[in-house]
């Protein structure tokens, strides 16, 4: 990291690094938890592969809220809206910001450089608002449909799988020359990605059987899809692209689980 990067990076710290500090740094960086443990982006990025397991904790909090609201007999649709709102809020709106920015960039015609400049400006346009609305309403609709069936573990699984989407995007993307996103992309390797998949598939299966495992696969698919879109439009993946992959990963995780749940009910003429 250059001296210029250190001045821009609020998470830089001269303290000695460790895996525990890197994990705590990721929690501080990507959630609103008042842990206040800061470390450099490079040190945090070393544990990118572990991010989905960290996100399992966030999903657990959301699951507790969902169970509590269900005990109070809140309507399932209201629970779905509250859970989705909690998840994007608890993550500090970091990934949602990336989704909105990439929505604006995808509306632009021109070179990848022009699209990236739009993605990085501070303005919010129609494309960003529209993409947020589409992803948000579909996420709530899928979650509502799954909760109506009674599969409440989907709350935890979809949030863990959101980060599987981010990791999937990171392993299949090309980093840029600047921005914090490049550290997370460069840190990912095939062995680390395989480790992430094995652990998250095990967690998904533990909480939801085959349905939960397919939720993890859906998250990975969503991240790979955003990586493909990023390559086509920007040639590289920025931090915003990684953020968008988180939101799309959650969406596709819920979609895949819903498909598996409904599969036995599908009738062909």
């Amino acid at each position: 990291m250059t001296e210029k990067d250190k001045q821009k990076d609020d998470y830089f710290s001269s303290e000695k690094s460790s895996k525990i500090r890197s994990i705590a740094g990721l929690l501080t960086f990507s959630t609103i938890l008042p842990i206040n443990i800061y470390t450099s982006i490079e040190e945090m990025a070393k544990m990118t592969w572990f991010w989905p397991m960290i996100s399992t904790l966030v999903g657990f909090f959301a699951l507790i809220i969902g169970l509590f609201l269900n005990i109070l007999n809140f309507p399932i649709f209201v629970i779905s809206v509250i859970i989705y709102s909690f998840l994007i809020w608890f993550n500090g709106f970091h990934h949602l910001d990336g989704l909105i920015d990439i929505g604006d960039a995808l509306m632009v015609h021109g070179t990848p450089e022009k699209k990236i400049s739009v993605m990085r400006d501070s303005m919010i346009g129609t494309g960003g608002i529209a993409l947020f609305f589409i992803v948000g309403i579909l996420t709530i609709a899928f979650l509502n449909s799954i909760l109506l069936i009674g599969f409440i573990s989907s709350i935890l699984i979809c949030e863990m799988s959101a980060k599987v989407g981010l990791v999937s995007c990171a392993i299949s993307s090309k980093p840029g020359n600047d921005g914090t996103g490049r550290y997370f992309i460069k840190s990912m390797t095939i062995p680390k990605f395989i480790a992430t998949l094995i652990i998250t598939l095990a967690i998904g299966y533990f909480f939801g059987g085959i349905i939960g495992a397919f939720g993890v696969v859906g998250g990975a698919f969503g991240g790979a899809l955003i990586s493909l879109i990023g390559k086509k439009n920007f040639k590289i993946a920025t931090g915003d692209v990684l953020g968008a992959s988180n939101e799309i990963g959650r969406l596709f995780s819920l979609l895949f689980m819903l498909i598996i749940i409904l599969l036995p009910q599908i009738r062909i003429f």
Side-chain angles (χ1 to χ4, degrees), residues 179-225:
T180 56
R182 73 185 188 276
Y183 297 111
F184 299 104
I185 295 172
K186 289 180 178 180
S187 74
M188 284 305 301
T189 63
I190 295 296
K192 288 181 180 179
F193 180 64
I194 292 174
T196 298
L197 281 182
I198 291 173
I199 295 172
T200 53
L201 283 170
I203 295 173
Y205 187 82
F206 177 80
F207 283 100
I210 294 297
I211 299 172
F214 266 90
V216 174
V217 174
F221 176 85
L225 178 63

Side-chain angles (χ1 to χ4, degrees), residues 18-69:
S18 68
K19 290 182 179 180
I20 298 299
R21 284 193 62 83
S22 295
I23 292 172
L26 274 175
L27 272 170
T28 301
F29 175 71
S30 59
T31 71
I32 61 168
L33 285 175
I35 301 175
N36 296 326
I37 296 179
Y38 303 101
T39 186
S40 68
I41 291 291
E42 295 102 315
E43 292 302 323
M44 285 191 296
K46 290 178 181 178
M47 297 302 294
T48 300
W49 70 274
F50 194 75
W51 217 341
M53 281 63 82
I54 296 174
S55 199
T56 304
L57 176 64
V58 180
F60 178 75
F61 291 152
L63 177 60
I64 295 300
I65 293 173
L67 289 170
F68 178 72
L69 295 176

Side-chain angles (χ1 to χ4, degrees), residues 100-136:
I100 293 173
D101 286 342
I102 198 176
D104 284 336
L106 291 175
M107 280 193 65
V108 177
H109 296 284
T111 64
E113 291 75 21
K114 182 179 180 181
K115 293 180 180 182
I116 291 174
S117 67
V118 171
M119 182 164 47
R120 288 177 170 172
D121 68 31
S122 59
M123 304 295 290
I124 295 179
T126 305
I129 295 172
L131 185 58
F132 170 42
F133 174 79
I134 293 170
V135 172

Side-chain angles (χ1 to χ4, degrees), residues 30-31 58 87-95 159 163 250:
S30 59
T31 71
V58 180
L87 290 175
I88 60 176
W89 166 76
F90 199 84
N91 286 314
F93 303 109
H94 292 306
H95 308 304
E159 184 57 21
K163 286 298 186 298
R250 183 191 296 117

Side-chain angles (χ1 to χ4, degrees), residues 13 90 96 139 151 160 196 205 224 229-230 236 240 252 268:
S13 171
F90 199 84
L96 183 62
T139 300
F151 189 59
M160 175 184 69
T196 298
Y205 187 82
I229 293 173
I236 62 169
D240 285 328
F252 273 91
I268 301 176

